Amino acid sequence: MNDCFLRLIPVRGKNMRYADIVLPVPLPKLFTYEVPNEYHGTLAAGQRVVVSFGKKKLLSGIIFSLHNNKPEAYETKPIISILDDKPIVTLSQLKVWEWMADYYQCTLGEVYKAALPSGLKLESETRIFYNDEFEAETEMPEKTQQILDFLAAKKYSTISEINQFSGLKSCHHIIKQLIELDAVVVNEQLKGSWRPKTEVFLSLHNNVRNENSLRDAFDSLSRAPKQLEVLMLFLQSTGGVSEAMTGKEVLKKELASKAVNSSTAINELIKKEMLVQVKRNVDRLLTSKIENVQKVKTLSPEQDSALQETLKGFDENLPVLLHGVTSSGKTEIYIHLIDQAIKKGQQALYLLPEIALTTQITNRLKAHFGEKLGIYHSKFSDDQRVEVYNNLLNNKSYRVILGVRSSVFLPFSNLGLIIIDEEHENSFKQFDPAPRYHARDVALVLGQGFKSSVLLGTATPSIESYYNVQNNKYRLVELTTRFEGMMMPEIIVVNTREAQRKKMMQSHFSPQLLEHISEALSNKQQVILFQNRRGFAPFMECMSCGWIPKCKHCDVSLTYHKHIHQLICHYCGYSSNVHATCQACESPTLNLKGFGTQKIEEEIGQIFPDASIARMDYDTTRSRKGYENIISGFEQGEYNILVGTQMVTKGLDFDRVSLVGILNADQMLNHPDFRAFEKSFQMMAQVSGRAGRKHKRGTVIIQTSDPEHPVIAKVRSNNYAAFYQEQIEEREQFNYPPFYRIIHLTIKHKNQNVTNQAANYLAGLLRSVFGSRILGPQVPPVNRIQDHHLQRIMIKYERKASPSQVKKLIRDCINQTLANERWKYVQIVNDVDPL
């Protein structure tokens, strides 16, 4: 493990009397606790401990450091109990946590809450329930048995009641053991507490592991035909008598499934000591084993050249930006690099921006790396995420982790390679809650700590990353041709304003788009239609008075969702019934305005009634397998047309897609944001790359009212360099990233006057420190969310400035503002490098 950046944290010490502990609270400092004599020499940074916080609250925290310095400001409390025999957070992780808290201007407690799976965070005391199905396999310690008997009698209890009954100051460690034994179930006190998944296995009892005793067993079952049948099935399941005699095991539930009403027979065989059962922990994530792991494929000359250039960049200790056009074969290069890292005994982290992408790439990586591959994302249950975490912590089977942004928090020990695929994607940024980090940037810091090789791959680099190339901070490697000579798609730009003037538009579809969809369907090809707005219609409007239904809690119009016939707020989730008449003038002339993915799905189905259509947006992918079902169905040809939001732009690879339609390019281009042109170029170029990916040139149709827009022209010509040059000149002129850093401070309160007053006061304090670097306060585009009125202050500061010093100055101004009695309930949210 490389412990090479930030400050060294002491690991163990017999004379360490005090511990600085990270607690899951958003307070800006660590809390020092006294180490009781019985724990001297047993504590280490990264272990979980239970401490008292406030008057009555018990919290679990992480030891950050051990020392002999008694705080002068307050009397220290003792650590109540230790939850781990060894650290569950490594020194490298703690150092990344410290960097994140410093750079993203949040607290270590907030990083701690984001970093660990819920099953490893023991929080707020409530109820512990006895598990009626629990059967002890071994004798328990006296105190543990007493507590279990107490719970069995009461059915459930609280931590404080158990402490009072047992005479213990803290029973957390015993409760933790009982949870792991599946003896109790905890509701919120040990919130999300992880329990290993167990399965019951059967094997031949030692009494019958020779031919004579087994023959006698068969004879004794002559009058118990069901038991005899089950014993025969067991032997068949092990592969024969000889295999069974070696102790080979069979899953009890699998054996029970092979014969009707066999559970009683199995239990009788166990009682007669012919079979023996044992409960074992099993991996929740273990899928079918890969019998024949594939070798990595031979690269094309262009791919091999790019690989060699990448390795040269790694030798120079530089991150490498792999700028490869869509379908140029970047993933195969990644696989080669991962294979090399594993052969060196190293771990690899493969970061993707969206869960949807893990669905496609998993099978490719699984075929090469088998059980060495671990997957980590939020659609997995908490228990599954804990198993991945523990697998890495204990250095078991996983050598490659495929995951989304939260994967940067995992406990790597020998991380040799980090791949950040689609590095330009906004999905790498955490928007809420704190820490509001960017996984790409955290991964780069993680790479520095481990001295890992870092590769950023994309067809449309972020302006910041390409700027780093120009300034020799990254090495640039380019793949300018598609794999196997496939042609880039033909891009057709359709002037919707002109088509509407001539009344040629059919709803939201131009004649050219409909003609190409018809041709693709007749040729058994597939179509992707991109509209970056979910729902049926963005809003309703009264044609008489102009009234628009709005959210009661946010300053936004409600979006109409036809399948549930309701108006929904996409900010807070508030829903309302659809009214037959205007609520202002009672006119019945309420019309739907605009269009979302639901409306596109419905209307394209009416135009092409024989087509099978799927929709991929937030509404259709909420379930754990939502992404997987849609993507696999489209891959296998179950759907002819896929309608989707930006989810369909993110590196998906479909063989039969010959046409992509971008229905409203203006919506992206006209967004009030200095990154609007960058995001628009990236989205249009990425979704265009889904067309014609296998042996046939595809077609992309971009519908816009401004066909001469410079961004659309650059997309058409696939000229990223010219696009970058235009953008970088504007950014430098107006002091935007990458030349300056940006911090947004969002001031929130339910009273608009209080919000405005606090924002003006804070802005004045900041101007006294930062001068003209302060812009605002100003009302953001959406100025009320969840009943809170918002004001925003933007801070622009030079890149050479110290982030920690900037943080201290900003924090002082915020603290001075919140110290005022009038504004003590105001919320101030700090977002560093906002997107």
Side-chain angles (χ1 to χ4, degrees), residues 775-817:
L775 300 177
Q778 60 187 10
V779 177
V782 178
N783 60 24
R784 185 170 63 97
I785 296 177
Q786 295 180 342
D787 292 322
H788 285 76
H789 295 272
L790 311 181
Q791 286 276 2
R792 180 171 291 161
I793 298 171
M794 179 187 288
I795 304 170
K796 291 183 181 179
Y797 69 96
E798 297 82 353
R799 295 190 70 86
K800 62 184 178 182
S802 164
S804 59
Q805 183 62 21
V806 170
K807 174 185 177 181
K808 181 181 182 304
L809 294 171
I810 293 174
R811 175 52 56 188
D812 288 344
C813 292
I814 290 174
N815 288 341
Q816 190 173 336
T817 302

Side-chain angles (χ1 to χ4, degrees), residues 545-679:
C545 72
W547 176 79
I548 296 172
K550 289 192 173 184
C551 177
K552 289 184 176 181
H553 310 291
C554 308
D555 189 25
V556 292
S557 58
L558 294 171
T559 299
Y560 176 57
H561 287 246
K562 187 171 184 178
H563 68 292
I564 57 175
H565 193 54
Q566 281 196 318
L567 296 166
I568 295 178
C569 174
H570 286 178
Y571 282 82
C572 72
Y574 167 79
S575 63
S576 169
N577 294 327
V578 179
H579 299 287
T581 59
C582 172
Q583 298 299 288
C585 70
E586 297 188 356
S587 167
T589 57
L590 281 173
N591 279 5
L592 295 170
K593 294 289 186 178
F595 59 100
T597 49
Q598 281 184 23
K599 192 170 187 179
I600 297 302
E601 178 187 26
E602 179 181 290
E603 292 186 345
I604 203 68
Q606 292 171 352
I607 297 170
F608 299 99
D610 295 331
S612 179
I613 303 167
R615 173 165 54 90
M616 189 160 77
D617 56 25
Y618 177 76
D619 297 318
T620 61
T621 57
R622 293 186 188 187
S623 66
R624 180 185 160 190
K625 293 200 171 181
Y627 291 105
E628 185 178 336
N629 293 338
I630 294 170
I631 290 170
S632 62
F634 196 62
E635 273 184 317
Q636 293 164 19
E638 295 174 18
Y639 307 112
N640 311 119
I641 300 174
L642 177 63
V643 179
T645 57
Q646 60 181 329
M647 292 180 183
V648 302
T649 71
K650 301 175 188 292
L652 298 169
D653 186 358
F654 300 115
D655 291 355
R656 293 186 287 272
V657 174
S658 65
L659 175 67
V660 167
I662 299 173
L663 298 177
N664 185 4
D666 305 329
Q667 179 187 347
M668 297 179 283
L669 291 166
N670 296 326
H671 192 69
D673 176 19
F674 78 93
R675 298 185 192 272
F677 285 3
E678 178 185 9
K679 293 176 182 177

Side-chain angles (χ1 to χ4, degrees), residues 386-456:
V386 171
E387 288 201 359
V388 175
Y389 191 98
N390 285 337
N391 189 299
L392 279 174
L393 182 66
N394 297 313
N395 204 21
K396 291 183 178 178
S397 60
Y398 295 149
R399 291 294 172 267
V400 187
I401 292 295
L402 174 68
V404 293
R405 62 175 179 256
S406 56
S407 303
V408 298
F409 292 118
L410 288 170
F412 297 99
S413 57
N414 185 22
L415 186 60
L417 174 68
I418 301 174
I419 294 168
I420 308 161
D421 198 13
E422 310 294 346
E423 66 85 23
H424 65 280
E425 273 290 346
N426 295 341
S427 302
F428 281 126
K429 170 74 173 178
Q430 164 78 8
F431 290 97
D432 220 27
R436 294 170 179 84
Y437 66 98
H438 198 300
R440 176 194 62 205
D441 299 335
V442 176
L444 287 164
V445 172
L446 192 63
Q448 290 174 9
F450 280 99
K451 292 185 167 49
S452 309
S453 301
V454 180
L455 178 65
L456 300 91

